[in-house]
Amino acid sequence: MAYRLFEPGVDPNAVLGGGAICFVFRKGDLLVGPSVIGDYLPIFDELVEISHLILRSNYMGELDGRPAFAVEVDESAPDPLPFAFEQLRGTFGTLDEGAWLIAGRAAMIVDWDRSHQICGQCGHRSHYLETERAKRCPNCGLVAYPRVSPAIIVLVERGDEVLLARGIRQSSGMYALIAGFVEAGESLEEAVHREIQEEVGIEVDGVQYFGSQPWPFPHSLMVGYTAQYKAGEICIKPDEIADARFFAPHGLPPIPPRLSIARKLIDYYAEKHGIELDVP
């Protein structure tokens, strides 16, 4: 069964129970397995074994007509067979893309709820608001929303070549696109130019918006751009980049999997050049 209809909602008084679909997290890992509703997300009735270890739950809305909740359990919770906790990245493919994106939303909500139990300004316990995803401190009035950290990611082309880089922490040999977080007071386009200059030392122009993707690791929003090489020689930032170069269309190195906007940008580039990538 593929999830087709998700209607977001906020209701701090909603009761977790019955046939509610549960996005259950244990230390950031998602619970998946064969469910009685025919997919890989459990309903509450299938969580009897670990229900006493639920720390927090947040109503997310309606998923294919069922209430859906983001749930966090204690790190001591066992795998309630036939389900098992898996890293969220690894559940792409087990879950269809729509359900995986909703799982990412749930992960962000769980992270926000865990880290905003106490007001960061005065130390009092914060309370959920009734009408929006936020918490308000009853003592000082500070309102805390789920954190979203914007980051840019950019496909740089030089003629028919594409710029790809390998990070120093990337042991698999995979190459990806230049990316980085947006700084305070900076526009998205300014971040594109700055990150490219800082990481590989070149200049670009023709910066154009491509698309965006929420990235729940733990709370980013990736904003994709395309750009054209303008000037300069590649000079890598050695504390972040191990290698960077322009690749020809038929000579691409290992690239990211299809779940990421990085791959969507690279697929866009490949399609322009009539290439069908055989990487999953």
Side-chain angles (χ1 to χ4, degrees), residues 249 252 255 258 263 266-267 270 275-280:
L252 298 183
I255 55 176
R258 295 194 186 279
R263 179 56 182 273
I266 295 171
D267 284 347
I275 304 168
E276 186 172 343
L277 299 175
D278 58 1
V279 182

Side-chain angles (χ1 to χ4, degrees), residues 51-258:
S51 61
H52 65 290
L53 295 173
I54 292 175
L55 301 177
R56 286 169 284 275
S57 65
N58 279 265
Y59 175 74
M60 296 176 60
E62 298 287 320
L63 181 55
D64 276 358
R66 291 176 179 265
F69 286 78
V71 179
E72 182 179 20
V73 297
D74 187 82
E75 62 182 49
S76 67
D79 290 5
L81 299 176
F83 297 92
F85 286 98
E86 297 183 12
Q87 290 186 351
L88 180 57
R89 291 175 189 264
T91 62
F92 185 82
T94 300
L95 301 179
D96 63 79
E97 185 171 0
W100 190 85
L101 290 171
I102 299 168
R105 178 191 292 250
M108 292 184 183
I109 291 172
V110 165
D111 179 74
W112 163 74
D113 193 14
R114 181 196 315 113
S115 59
H116 287 80
Q117 294 291 302
I118 303 298
C119 173
Q121 184 163 273
C122 72
H124 282 69
R125 180 164 290 276
S126 296
H127 295 170
Y128 295 105
L129 293 184
E130 295 284 335
T131 58
E132 58 182 335
R133 186 82 61 195
K135 293 183 179 183
R136 184 191 300 276
C137 174
N139 181 59
C140 70
L142 180 69
V143 177
Y145 295 90
R147 180 179 176 183
V148 178
S149 302
I152 57 87
I153 183 165
V154 56
L155 177 86
V156 178
E157 296 177 86
R158 185 179 68 181
D160 66 352
E161 296 178 314
V162 62
L163 177 66
L164 297 174
R166 179 168 56 85
I168 60 172
R169 297 178 182 84
Q170 183 51 256
S171 59
S172 68
M174 184 181 73
Y175 280 69
L177 303 177
I178 300 300
F181 287 104
V182 180
E183 295 184 353
E186 186 176 52
S187 73
L188 294 168
E189 291 76 14
E190 287 171 337
V192 167
H193 289 280
R194 176 184 53 76
E195 283 290 342
I196 293 172
Q197 178 64 43
E198 286 181 355
E199 296 197 3
V200 292
I202 65 173
E203 298 178 34
V204 297
D205 58 14
V207 175
Q208 293 188 347
Y209 174 75
F210 176 85
S212 64
Q213 180 185 41
W215 194 243
F217 303 106
H219 39 61
S220 298
L221 174 65
M222 302 299 296
V223 185
Y225 284 89
T226 62
Q228 301 299 317
Y229 168 82
K230 179 181 179 182
E233 297 294 329
I234 291 177
C235 180
I236 63 173
K237 186 177 183 181
D239 60 341
E240 293 188 19
I241 305 295
D243 184 36
R245 60 184 109 154
F246 285 96
F247 289 88
H250 293 280
L252 298 183
I255 55 176
R258 295 194 186 279

Side-chain angles (χ1 to χ4, degrees), residues 3 21 32-43 46 66 82-83:
Y3 295 120
I21 295 173
V32 293
S35 171
V36 297
I37 61 173
D39 214 307
Y40 290 90
L41 293 167
I43 60 173
E46 296 175 293
R66 291 176 179 265
F83 297 92

